[in-house]
Amino acid sequence: MTSYSFPANFQWGAATASYQIEGASQEDGRKPSVWDTFSATEGKVLNGDTGAIACDHYHRYRDDVKLMAELGIKHYRFSLAWPRIVPEGRGSVNAEGLGFYSRLVDELLAHGITPHATLYHWDTPQALEDAYGSWQSREIAQDFADYVSVVVKHLGDRVTHWFTLNEISCFTHLSYSVGGQPAHAPGKRVSRIRDIWQTSHHALLAHGLGCQAIRAASPVPCSVSWVDNFAVPIPLTESEVDIKAAQKAFPNLWTNGGIIVPALTGAYSPALLETLGEDAPNIKPGDLETIAQPLDALGFNIYSGQYVRAADNAQGYELLSIPKSYPRLHMPWLHVTPDALYWGIRHISDTLHRSDLPILITENGCAVQDEVTVSGEVLDCDRIFFMREYLRAAHRAIAEGYPLRGYFAWSFMDNFEWAYGYDRRFGLTYIDYATQRRIPKASFHWYAECIRQNRVV
Ligand code: FCB
């Protein structure tokens, strides 16, 4: 029997991101981001939804923070909108933009909630897209670092937990494509695969320069981290051979070999570079040193993993396709794989040999088809089921000695789910978009009880 209790200092939190919740897209000097442009383009986002109003958090942040305090979280991960703070992407600073985050941070601190700030969660200033094709240009890395310096100088007296970029692969490999229509902004066609790897290489550079900028600008010691959603191979059985197979697969899955591997080890995966050949990005001398900055923690966003087993073939493993009837929640990719949380942590510690690196689950949660009952409740036992299983996997990682330090539920509230607009609800809090009414769901109350008892209930 286990009580699934967590260590006393375990960080219970929830997460959001600027473009997904703030709205007020044209207020107080904010200029458009690539997501404003993309979502305003017909056919890009389901139902033509945009983030122009979203959860109106920009105006309702005080009530939202109050609700966070009711939830009982002691940690809140949010992101800052670059085009609110440096509206042209580089150059002049918009004091009103900084003012909003300053008030938000004060409000959080007043409620005993530690702010964890992500400096970039996909809302690139449109001006940089117009100026030089944003992530297609190396210039963006320095512009990002300059913006980071501004933010950290201004908020660093009160914010001491920083994340550079959120999920590099999603705003590079899902935003640029050869032939297809990319699902994410700016949604550009490029002529060759190499151009896509070049965007993620530039993002890695931005991350590295961003880390240096945070450390240089912070008035007090702080935690410097980033957030990745690396792909997780789950051994089909926990036999030695399948575990080895999953470890072999790790650097070869999706973008792992070209994103998390260089960021944490200082080198792209040799196998990836060999496979890419002419399509490998142009890496200048010194780039890898810049990219592989020391980190105080790793933010790990985890939703789903992939099963792998040992195989008698050249690569030594086989990736299994997901069966048709595999349990899945309300996104095409949202397979219920709680073991992915455990194995993801284990791969960082064991496969990449970075057991020195504390890990925070910076996002975990699910979209379900929430409905408000006649009595005004949202009884999302499907979300509770999902999160409970993942938290049990988190407990296992800690019990086995892996350095997991905290968990941020995605998301504090329903929000603009990128290309799916408002159709997909990931929140612990239901948003009635017509009235902006907030309704804490059953999962909200369940999560509050987990926090209160410091265990999975
Ligand atoms: C992640 C994103 C986050 C949210 C969740 C569902 O990839 O970081 O903004 O959309 O997925």
Side-chain angles (χ1 to χ4, degrees):
M1 271 285 282
T2 168
S3 66
Y4 292 109
S5 286
F6 282 74
N9 53 359
F10 190 72
Q11 300 177 23
W12 295 95
T16 62
S18 49
Y19 191 69
Q20 297 182 273
I21 64 166
E22 286 177 1
S25 63
Q26 298 184 30
E27 277 178 59
D28 298 337
R30 182 188 180 280
K31 292 253 171 96
S33 72
V34 293
W35 269 97
D36 292 278
T37 313
F38 188 75
S39 61
T41 310
E42 214 190 310
K44 297 296 183 193
V45 174
L46 197 58
N47 304 319
D49 291 340
T50 77
I53 300 172
C55 309
D56 196 31
H57 174 73
Y58 189 77
H59 298 115
R60 296 167 193 264
Y61 72 93
R62 282 205 174 84
D63 290 340
D64 288 337
V65 172
K66 214 168 131 212
L67 200 53
M68 288 174 205
E70 283 170 31
L71 177 59
I73 52 172
K74 294 285 181 291
H75 299 268
Y76 173 55
R77 171 178 175 246
F78 62 99
S79 80
L80 294 97
W82 185 351
R84 234 185 244 297
I85 296 170
V86 183
E88 298 290 340
R90 50 186 172 173
S92 58
V93 175
N94 176 30
E96 284 179 285
L98 279 171
F100 167 68
Y101 296 107
S102 185
R103 292 192 300 278
L104 171 65
V105 164
D106 286 344
E107 199 68 20
L108 289 165
L109 293 171
H111 284 82
I113 300 171
T114 302
H116 295 246
T118 307
L119 289 149
Y120 173 85
H121 199 125
W122 308 356
D123 38 5
T124 317
Q126 178 64 37
L128 296 186
E129 178 58 29
D130 299 339
Y132 51 61
S134 63
W135 296 105
Q136 290 177 286
S137 166
R138 204 177 154 92
E139 269 184 70
I140 197 166
Q142 190 55 54
D143 285 336
F144 174 71
D146 292 345
Y147 145 75
V148 167
S149 300
V150 168
V151 173
V152 177
K153 258 182 213 139
H154 196 85
L155 300 177
D157 57 334
R158 288 156 292 154
V159 178
T160 54
H161 294 79
W162 299 103
F163 297 104
T164 53
L165 306 173
N166 180 72
E167 299 186 351
I168 288 179
S169 52
C170 290
F171 63 86
T172 56
H173 291 257
L174 296 184
S175 291
Y176 302 85
S177 138
V178 179
Q181 285 298 338
H184 287 185
K188 266 174 130 171
R189 296 263 190 115
V190 290
S191 49
R192 44 189 299 203
I193 299 283
R194 180 195 183 125
D195 299 339
I196 305 176
W197 280 104
Q198 202 63 50
T199 63
S200 53
H201 185 70
H202 295 151
L204 283 169
L205 280 175
H207 158 68
L209 294 179
C211 290
Q212 293 174 342
I214 298 169
R215 291 199 167 102
S218 180
V220 294
C222 62
S223 163
V224 178
S225 180
W226 75 312
V227 177
D228 195 37
N229 60 328
F230 57 89
V232 179
I234 308 168
L236 184 61
T237 65
E238 291 194 4
S239 62
E240 227 173 279
V241 283
D242 282 354
I243 291 173
K244 274 226 171 67
Q247 294 186 319
K248 277 189 199 145
F250 184 84
N252 300 338
L253 285 200
W254 198 29
T255 55
N256 284 3
I259 295 182
I260 189 130
V261 172
L264 297 192
T265 71
Y268 276 69
S269 142
L272 173 74
L273 291 181
E274 204 188 306
T275 312
L276 287 178
E278 294 275 285
D279 280 326
N282 177 16
I283 304 170
K284 294 205 172 151
D287 281 2
L288 287 159
E289 288 72 24
T290 305
I291 288 166
Q293 289 298 304
L295 297 176
D296 297 297
L298 172 69
F300 171 31
N301 289 356
I302 180 64
Y303 294 92
S304 296
Q306 276 166 274
Y307 291 98
V308 170
R309 68 171 179 178
D312 199 4
N313 58 22
Q315 54 186 14
Y317 64 86
E318 179 191 1
L319 276 181
L320 303 188
S321 46
I322 291 273
K324 278 198 198 110
S325 57
Y326 193 93
R328 175 168 58 183
L329 293 178
H330 201 214
M331 287 297 255
W333 44 264
L334 198 49
H335 303 112
V336 183
T337 51
D339 291 334
L341 187 152
Y342 166 81
W343 278 101
I345 295 168
R346 203 167 145 175
H347 281 304
I348 298 302
S349 278
D350 296 351
T351 311
L352 291 186
H353 308 292
R354 290 298 311 265
S355 56
D356 60 306
L357 198 56
I359 295 178
L360 295 165
I361 300 298
T362 32
E363 288 182 25
N364 175 243
C366 59
V368 302
Q369 289 170 282
D370 290 317
E371 283 167 298
V372 184
T373 64
V374 278
S375 60
E377 291 179 289
V378 179
L379 300 172
D380 55 340
C381 45
D382 36 10
R383 179 172 289 105
I384 295 176
F385 158 74
F386 180 99
M387 293 179 70
R388 184 185 276 137
E389 292 307 315
Y390 281 68
L391 276 173
R392 285 178 176 161
H395 180 270
R396 176 181 174 200
I398 297 171
E400 293 182 15
Y402 292 101
L404 175 63
R405 304 282 187 256
Y407 175 95
F408 292 76
W410 184 270
S411 174
F412 171 66
M413 56 187 161
D414 293 339
N415 57 51
F416 176 81
E417 179 45 39
W418 309 114
Y420 288 86
Y422 299 102
D423 192 64
R424 302 300 156 104
R425 295 177 176 274
F426 273 89
L428 298 170
T429 308
Y430 185 92
I431 305 282
D432 176 0
Y433 290 104
T435 62
Q436 289 293 347
R437 201 173 139 223
R438 274 75 169 136
I439 307 172
K441 302 178 190 177
S443 58
F444 179 107
H445 301 295
W446 164 81
Y447 190 53
E449 194 58 22
C450 290
I451 298 172
R452 208 179 64 76
Q453 296 195 31
N454 196 33
R455 67 184 193 90
V456 190
V457 296

